[in-house]
Structure formats: C-alpha cells, structure tokens
Amino acid sequence: MHKFLKAIGFSDFRKKDLEIVINDIIERPEIMKVTKDSEGNEFAELSKCFGTNIGIMVRGNYDESDSFMMEYYYPYYISEYDTTNELIEVQKHSEKESYAGVCDESNVGVTLIFYLQNVADYLSEKRLGNGVEIVGAKLAALSVEGMIILPVNEQEEKEKISNYKYKERSQLIAQAREGNEDAIESLTIEDMDTYSMISRRIMREDILSIVNSCFMPYGIESDQYSILGEITDVHSDKNRISGEEVFFMTLECNELTLEVCINKEDLYGEPAVGRRFKGVVWLQGHVNFPTEI
C-alpha cells in the first residue's frame, strides 16, 4: 500500500479494502483522461475524489481488447492556488510512466522537485507539438508526520526588515544563478555572518526560536522535504469512505505559499492560524499550460 494513503484518510484500510476502492475507481471514475504515452501506448488517468480536493488516481494502459491494465496508483491533494511562476522542466521517471516537475524557486533557495499530477495533460500537449514550455504550477503536499509549534515572537518592525532582507536575498540568488560574481560573494559573506550569529544564539536559545521557517530536502526521495512554516489558513474535512478526519493547512514557508494535507491522527498539536507546522511532506504539483491560462 502507498505510504501516503494515510494522509488523505485511509490509515486503517487493509489491502483487500483498498482493492475494492481501486476497482471502483477503474469501473466508475469521476475523471478520466486518455492519451498516448511516451512509447505510443494508450495511456489513461482515472481518478475519484474522497473529500476536499483529495483522492486516488489510477494510471495504466488499455490493451487491444479495451481492458484497463493498472500500472500504479497514488493518493493526491490538488491545490487551488498558484504556488510558483518559475519556468518548469518535466522529466520522466525511469521505472514507469510517471513524471517529476523541476524548477528553480528563488524564494526557497533550492531546486524544487515535485511529483507531476496532470501527466495526461502534459503528454497531450507534447503530442500536439506545442513546445510544452511550462511556467507556473499549483503545488500541494501530503504529510504522514508533523507537529504544531508556537510562532516566533517578532515585532512588526523586525518583521518588515526581515521581509526586505528576504526579497534582497532572492534577488541576489537570481543574479548568482546568472553568474554575477558580486552576488555570489555577497551571498557567501551573508551565509558566514548567519552561521556566526546562529552559533552564538544556539548556546542560549532553542533552534526553533531562531529559525522561523525552512524548506529543505529530506532523505533520499527527491520530492520529499522537511518544512517549517506559518499557518495562514486551516480547515478540516472527513474522508467520505473511511470517515477519518484530515486537516488542510495553508503555509507561508520561505515566502512560498504551500497547502498541506495531513491525517488528524498523524498531527501532534492543534493547528491554528499564526502557529507553525513542522513536518515531512511529499510534494505534488499541477503544472499550468498556455491553453489553461
């Protein structure tokens, strides 16, 4: 069973129960998209929703007798907001007909890699010969472990200065990527100063009072991240099949707006606007095409 099924409210499902759900999606999908895959086979995406923008997608091929052959499935959470407006490159995974989106997000300071949700749309655009230059994506994340922590007590004036410095750093990162040596030197000096400041403060403060937010790769999976961000919106819903409650949180993390879905049983603490979420997430994304804009 897929590890992140817990995030959308299928934590207590046995394999037999899951097979019933998967077969129901194949026989009666809410959304069905069919196109040709990278090898010219008939490729299909079948999905069904089980709550607020959460569900399971089944991918596979149709054979000569028009029978559907499932290749794999995965749980999803679709975001309603455009998270990034950067240029996105799509790369195919080697073992199956699944894809990853890659973009350099200056706000985060790392290369974002996410699991592509709308593969059929991408393959269709590619077959039409539209060049498939993708700009922007709606990113969302599933989590199976997380906790709620208190916010950092920052004065309004300090927050304004911090936001200004963050924008200035984002501009320097963009210039450094273009090969600007002055920008590279400025970032190096800034990192040294930051390291020195943290080394002094860590002797008498907790790390979570120093670091307000973070977004960094986690483990060996390229699309999983350890994040820390402020909650700007939160609501809950129940999986209509299992009845389990899940939380949906909108986070501000390194100037990036990200929506996270997590099962109530996997979240330690009570989420509320102004508090922070710390956890490990699987990043997914729905990329934008010119025909959708």
Side-chain angles (χ1 to χ4, degrees):
M1 291 179 64
H2 200 290
K3 173 184 175 181
F4 285 91
L5 280 172
K6 293 174 62 181
I8 65 169
F10 287 115
S11 61
D12 293 328
F13 256 45
R14 296 171 298 176
K15 187 176 181 180
K16 185 178 179 181
D17 297 326
L18 181 62
E19 287 176 356
I20 295 173
V21 173
I22 296 296
N23 288 333
D24 181 61
I25 295 172
I26 294 173
E27 293 172 8
R28 291 178 291 275
E30 288 182 354
I31 299 175
M32 177 179 181
K33 295 181 180 180
V34 181
T35 185
K36 296 290 184 181
D37 64 16
S38 57
E39 297 179 358
N41 301 313
E42 198 167 55
F43 173 82
E45 285 183 340
L46 314 176
S47 63
K48 181 169 283 191
C49 220
F50 299 106
T52 307
N53 296 335
I54 57 172
I56 296 175
M57 181 170 289
V58 181
R59 288 177 177 155
N61 303 95
Y62 282 98
D63 60 20
E64 295 178 354
S65 62
D66 240 9
S67 297
F68 181 77
M69 307 295 291
M70 184 182 77
E71 184 179 1
Y72 66 95
Y73 70 91
Y74 74 96
Y76 67 81
Y77 173 40
I78 298 177
S79 172
E80 297 180 351
Y81 306 100
D82 286 326
T83 307
T84 177
N85 293 313
E86 298 291 336
L87 185 66
I88 294 170
E89 179 184 353
V90 174
Q91 297 181 0
K92 183 180 180 299
H93 294 138
S94 58
E95 77 279 10
K96 57 188 175 184
E97 197 68 28
S98 62
Y99 293 77
V102 183
C103 71
D104 290 323
E105 178 55 63
S106 58
N107 287 338
V108 178
V110 299
T111 299
L112 281 181
I113 302 175
F114 58 89
Y115 194 83
L116 187 63
Q117 294 174 329
N118 53 333
V119 168
D121 294 338
Y122 169 74
L123 292 174
S124 296
E125 290 285 329
K126 194 175 180 180
R127 285 180 58 81
L128 290 172
N130 292 338
V132 199
E133 184 173 288
I134 306 166
V135 178
K138 297 180 175 73
L139 300 182
L142 299 178
S143 178
V144 292
E145 55 176 300
M147 66 173 66
I148 302 300
I149 59 178
L150 295 175
V152 175
N153 185 18
E154 289 187 327
Q155 295 178 355
E156 187 176 347
E157 194 62 33
K158 285 185 178 180
E159 192 173 337
K160 287 181 181 178
I161 294 172
S162 177
N163 290 338
Y164 173 77
K165 286 184 176 180
Y166 210 98
K167 290 178 181 178
E168 189 178 41
R169 179 177 172 81
S170 297
Q171 293 173 353
L172 286 173
I173 290 173
Q175 293 169 9
R177 284 179 177 149
E178 295 174 358
N180 188 314
E181 293 185 3
D182 291 337
I184 295 172
E185 184 179 349
S186 296
L187 286 170
T188 303
I189 294 172
E190 184 180 325
D191 286 343
M192 292 172 64
D193 291 342
T194 301
Y195 177 79
S196 177
M197 178 272 291
I198 291 175
S199 298
R200 291 194 307 270
R201 291 182 59 183
I202 200 68
M203 301 297 291
R204 52 189 171 81
E205 296 180 53
D206 184 87
I207 186 66
L208 294 177
S209 67
I210 302 172
V211 179
N212 190 32
S213 69
C214 75
F215 197 106
M216 54 191 289
Y218 178 83
I220 61 174
E221 298 285 346
S222 59
D223 50 13
Q224 292 188 26
Y225 297 86
S226 175
I227 66 170
L228 172 63
E230 182 182 348
I231 302 172
T232 59
D233 186 36
V234 59
H235 64 280
S236 65
D237 193 11
K238 287 188 177 181
N239 183 307
R240 68 168 184 256
I241 299 294
S242 67
E244 295 180 26
E245 187 174 2
V246 295
F247 282 115
F248 305 96
M249 295 174 288
T250 304
L251 307 179
E252 282 292 334
C253 184
N254 285 26
E255 296 295 312
L256 192 76
T257 301
L258 180 67
E259 291 187 86
V260 176
C261 172
I262 186 171
N263 194 305
K264 182 181 179 181
E265 297 301 317
D266 294 324
L267 182 62
Y268 183 76
E270 188 69 26
V273 174
R275 295 177 181 176
R276 292 183 293 169
F277 170 81
K278 180 180 181 296
V280 176
V281 301
W282 177 35
L283 195 62
Q284 303 179 351
H286 183 288
V287 295
N288 301 325
F289 297 104
T291 53
E292 297 178 329
I293 300 175

